[in-house]
Amino acid sequence: MKTYFRLLSFAKPIEKFAIPYIIATLFAIVFNTFLFTLLGPLLETLFIKDAPTTLSKVSSSIDFMGRFSQYIQHAIDTYGKTETLKLVCIVIVVTVVLANLFRYLSQRFMEDLRVHTLLNLRRKVFNNIMNLHVGFFNNERKGDIISKVASDVQVVQFTVTNTLQVVFKEPLQLLFYVGVLISISVKLTLFSLLVIPVSGFIISKIVKRLKHQAKESHESFAKMIGFLDESLSGIKIIKAFNATPKIKEKFDQENKFYSYLNRKMARRQQLASPVSQTLGVFVVVFIVLYGGTMILTGQGDLTPAKFLVYIATFSQVMQPVKALTDSFSGIHSGIAAGERVLELMDTKPLLVNEPDAKILDHFNSAISLQNVSFSYGEKQILNSITFDIEKGKTVALVGPSGGGKSTLMDLLPRFHDPKSGTIKIDGYDYRELTVESIRAQMGTVNQESFLFNDTIFNNIAFAKPDATMEQVMAAAKIANAHDFIEQTENGYQSFVGDRGNRLSGGQKQRVCIARAVLANPPIMLLDEATSALDTESEKLVQDALNNLMKNRTSIVIAHRLSTIQHADKIVVIDKGSIVETGNHSELMAKSGLYKRLIDMQAFTD
């Protein structure tokens, strides 16, 4: 229940929807119950030739039907049967209209609550995901995250609000029906209501394993979503290696398992309703036998008309009982989904601003790394890295693959914190500053040119949404992108497609560079920005990068060492440690690792 009430908190302010829902539901129940109390007096006074004398007396204060019988008998005596029939029909029509009007209003208020809850829940989950550190996404399946935001949240909001609706409406409706039943016959009612606890006990046994199965089902669905995402992203590789049958088979296996779990859950859930209805039929049969015997033998004051109303009302009693049992079986799926959603929501970002963190509003002197070490779990990636990056200088990071260059680059915008050592900017420890203000001083161009499925204009203006067309065009010209943009179908308003797949690699990279140019940060981080390009595109992109680095502090990881020979400082990293530092001439004179890398690349070129 703790999980349920926590999920329910996302419905706040719940009173805005709950109060009108309660009022509308109450009126709907009153008018709905009133319809059944009209049935007995109507039958008894209009279709029985000699109305019983008992109609003139009310057997007890809760004998609602007796009172209605009195009123209708009085109307017959005053206006006649025909006029009374018209009056009763008008009352029935008005009652039906009001009952359905208030039922519609109650459903409308509940739907508003359901949508409101979904809005709050999904917003909270997504906001928390966006606040998580970058390392979190390296360890999680993307499909699992998507499944929680899309599917699990939907299950949660429906189950929570539906249960809330059932918990209030159905017991109240049940009480009203029971009130009518007791007013007709206390003996019959006490026996007939035994079906409710018996039904509840049996159904609780039936749905006992639903929560565990629901959790497995949600996890299986998440795997399918993740596999679908991977398959769509790698469709070219799948086609190139003729792996389509293998991928189909892998997806089909998970799909079958998911379907198997859903069938098992559905069978258990669907068993609850027939069980409750079967028990109800047994009780109705007994009521018919017992009540019919009472009427035929003249025992008690039970009349045929009252008996018919009793059976009709008891048949309606099973509707709220059925709704309660269905809700009881369905809530397990919602709680299982809710636990998955709350688990994601409770994940705390490893990088949070200190309460007294300062805002870095400019970059004046240098970034300093002092004995910085970093590891992923037990695997050591960086070991006691120490060097300075002075303002206005270009620093290149080079070395064999897997040496730790990209990890070091990720530490600069504080995607991760070092396990030991410190990183300072203008003398301030990174931990003393807000993460947002550090990143505001930096622009990034990665090896993977990521573009959003939007227009070229919006991709360039991503970091500066209020940019004008003139500013965007100026940035594109610096990035050598303006000419090819103008040649696209709609110019700057052309859509780039999913991840920019409508553009070539070089074009995507130049749009990314234009995005960084427009942001105009004092520090640029360039992570192998030309490594995946052909020779012609590489030249265009390299020219754009040279334009980008003018009058800026730049930290560069380069695939082709010839492109960083002009760097003010070259830091050679191997196996997580700095092995050499200097400019191109100094390192070549040392005849160390850097020279060997240069010679190897010259040989391969």
Side-chain angles (χ1 to χ4, degrees):
M1 290 303 292
K2 182 180 177 182
T3 301
Y4 176 81
F5 284 116
R6 187 177 171 196
L7 293 170
L8 188 60
S9 68
F10 291 97
K12 293 180 180 178
I14 193 171
E15 63 276 3
K16 177 181 177 183
F17 307 97
I19 293 175
Y21 168 75
I22 290 172
I23 294 171
T25 300
L26 188 59
F27 277 110
I29 290 172
V30 168
F31 286 114
N32 190 50
T33 308
F34 185 56
L35 281 174
F36 291 95
T37 61
L38 284 173
L39 180 61
L42 180 64
L43 290 171
E44 199 166 49
T45 56
L46 296 182
F47 299 108
I48 297 178
K49 292 182 178 180
D50 297 319
T53 57
T54 53
L55 290 176
S56 60
K57 298 180 181 180
V58 178
S59 59
S60 70
S61 60
I62 60 171
D63 189 1
F64 306 117
M65 287 186 58
R67 292 181 182 276
F68 285 128
S69 296
Q70 279 187 327
Y71 297 146
I72 294 175
Q73 183 64 54
H74 176 71
I76 291 174
D77 295 340
T78 305
Y79 305 108
K81 286 192 174 184
T82 303
E83 292 301 318
T84 303
L85 178 61
K86 292 179 182 178
L87 179 62
V88 171
C89 288
I90 291 172
V91 172
I92 290 174
V93 169
V94 172
T95 304
V96 168
V97 170
L98 290 174
N100 284 283
L101 172 63
F102 284 111
R103 185 174 65 175
Y104 163 74
L105 291 175
S106 68
Q107 290 173 341
R108 179 173 172 175
F109 291 131
M110 183 51 64
E111 189 60 35
D112 289 343
L113 176 62
R114 183 174 290 123
V115 172
H116 176 73
T117 305
L118 177 62
L119 173 70
N120 288 342
L121 188 57
R122 189 166 279 161
R123 178 197 291 132
K124 178 70 174 178
V125 175
F126 184 78
N127 288 350
N128 192 66
I129 291 171
M130 290 296 100
N131 290 335
L132 292 174
H133 56 287
V134 173
F136 170 82
F137 302 96
N138 296 333
N139 302 321
E140 292 291 320
R141 296 193 306 269
K142 188 163 59 172
D144 194 47
I145 297 174
I146 294 172
S147 174
K148 289 175 181 177
V149 176
S151 175
D152 290 358
V153 167
Q154 195 85 21
V155 172
V156 168
Q157 66 89 22
F158 180 80
T159 302
V160 169
T161 53
N162 186 58
T163 304
L164 186 66
Q165 178 181 3
V166 169
V167 164
F168 173 75
K169 177 187 174 184
E170 306 307 339
L172 192 61
Q173 179 69 79
L174 188 60
L175 287 175
F176 271 75
Y177 284 146
V178 170
V180 174
L181 295 177
I182 290 175
S183 72
I184 298 173
S185 174
V186 176
K187 288 182 180 180
L188 280 176
T189 303
L190 290 176
F191 177 82
S192 62
L193 291 183
L194 288 175
V195 71
I196 296 176
V198 173
S199 177
F201 175 77
I202 295 174
I203 289 166
S204 67
K205 294 296 183 182
I206 293 173
V207 301
K208 189 175 181 181
R209 281 182 48 81
L210 272 178
K211 184 179 176 182
H212 177 70
Q213 291 174 342
K215 186 176 181 180
E216 283 188 313
S217 174
H218 295 313
E219 290 174 351
S220 177
F221 182 76
K223 287 181 183 178
M224 280 202 302
I225 293 295
F227 189 69
L228 177 62
D229 177 70
E230 284 184 347
S231 300
L232 294 176
S233 301
I235 191 66
K236 288 185 179 178
I237 299 298
I238 293 171
K239 297 289 186 183
F241 286 91
N242 290 324
T244 304
K246 177 184 175 182
I247 296 298
K248 286 180 180 178
E249 177 64 23
K250 190 174 179 182
F251 181 84
D252 190 51
Q253 289 299 320
E254 192 62 46
N255 192 22
K256 286 178 179 177
F257 180 65
Y258 177 67
S259 300
Y260 165 73
L261 288 175
N262 278 354
R263 278 198 302 272
K264 287 181 67 176
M265 288 174 57
R267 286 169 184 168
R268 284 182 175 268
Q269 288 174 327
Q270 291 162 1
L271 190 58
S273 179
V275 166
S276 62
Q277 286 189 345
T278 302
L279 290 173
V281 169
F282 286 147
V283 177
V284 168
V285 169
F286 174 82
I287 290 171
V288 170
L289 182 62
Y290 182 67
T293 303
M294 287 175 64
I295 293 172
L296 294 173
T297 58
Q299 299 176 19
D301 58 353
L302 190 64
T303 64
K306 286 185 176 182
F307 185 54
L308 287 174
V309 174
Y310 191 95
I311 294 174
T313 305
F314 186 80
S315 69
Q316 294 301 306
V317 165
M318 297 313 298
Q319 294 302 319
V321 172
K322 178 178 178 294
L324 285 168
T325 55
D326 287 347
S327 175
F328 181 68
S329 63
I331 195 173
H332 288 284
S333 178
I335 295 298
E339 289 177 349
R340 282 167 46 82
V341 171
L342 291 176
E343 179 187 6
L344 181 59
M345 203 178 298
D346 290 339
T347 303
K348 302 298 181 184
L350 295 181
L351 301 176
V352 292
N353 295 325
E354 296 294 333
D356 56 347
K358 301 180 179 66
I359 295 176
L360 181 71
D361 52 11
H362 48 72
F363 174 54
N364 291 326
S365 57
I367 299 174
S368 177
L369 290 85
Q370 300 171 0
N371 297 315
V372 170
S373 297
F374 184 82
S375 61
Y376 288 113
E378 299 296 324
K379 185 179 180 181
Q380 189 77 17
I381 305 298
L382 298 174
N383 186 30
S384 298
I385 300 293
T386 300
F387 68 96
D388 294 334
I389 304 167
E390 298 174 356
K391 182 179 179 180
K393 303 295 185 180
T394 297
V395 176
L397 307 178
V398 302
S401 296
K405 303 185 296 298
S406 294
T407 300
L408 179 57
M409 186 75 86
D410 284 345
L411 294 178
L412 297 177
R414 206 183 173 193
F415 291 150
H416 312 283
D417 273 342
K419 300 300 181 183
S420 62
T422 58
I423 304 177
K424 295 184 178 181
I425 182 168
D426 288 350
Y428 293 105
D429 191 308
Y430 264 30
R431 295 178 177 85
E432 299 174 3
L433 304 170
T434 64
V435 175
E436 295 78 14
S437 66
I438 293 173
R439 293 172 185 169
Q441 304 302 314
M442 301 179 183
T444 303
V445 180
N446 293 322
Q447 178 181 0
E448 181 184 357
S449 311
F450 185 87
L451 298 178
F452 296 93
N453 192 357
D454 205 337
T455 63
I456 294 175
F457 178 92
N458 288 339
N459 270 285
I460 295 176
F462 181 75
K464 192 175 181 181
D466 58 345
T468 64
M469 177 59 78
E470 289 73 21
Q471 291 173 319
V472 169
M473 290 177 65
K477 288 176 180 177
I478 294 174
N480 289 335
H482 177 72
D483 290 340
F484 88 78
I485 293 173
E486 287 290 293
Q487 294 172 9
T488 59
E489 184 178 358
N490 297 310
Y492 283 84
Q493 299 306 318
S494 297
F495 279 81
V496 301
D498 186 35
R499 303 192 182 192
N501 59 15
R502 294 185 181 179
L503 303 180
S504 69
Q507 290 172 337
K508 286 194 291 185
Q509 196 65 292
R510 281 177 279 166
V511 171
C512 291
I513 293 170
R515 180 169 63 195
V517 170
L518 185 62
N520 196 29
I523 303 169
M524 285 306 308
L525 308 177
L526 309 175
D527 187 357
E528 301 195 42
T530 63
S531 63
L533 305 178
D534 58 81
T535 304
E536 183 179 357
S537 296
E538 181 182 7
K539 185 178 186 309
L540 290 169
V541 170
Q542 189 60 52
D543 290 343
L545 290 173
N546 292 337
N547 293 334
L548 177 64
M549 290 188 291
K550 286 179 181 177
N551 304 317
R552 283 189 177 87
T553 306
S554 302
I555 300 94
V556 184
I557 296 177
H559 175 70
R560 292 185 180 275
L561 299 183
S562 58
T563 61
I564 50 90
Q565 292 181 7
H566 65 284
D568 300 293
K569 181 188 293 185
I570 299 173
V571 179
V572 185
I573 301 175
D574 185 26
K575 297 178 181 177
S577 300
I578 296 177
V579 293
E580 292 176 322
T581 304
N583 58 34
H584 175 71
S585 300
E586 292 169 346
L587 294 177
M588 290 297 289
K590 289 182 180 180
S591 298
L593 177 58
Y594 178 77
K595 186 175 186 305
R596 289 203 304 274
L597 293 173
I598 288 284
D599 292 342
M600 289 171 60
Q601 199 163 93
F603 177 77
T604 57
D605 289 345

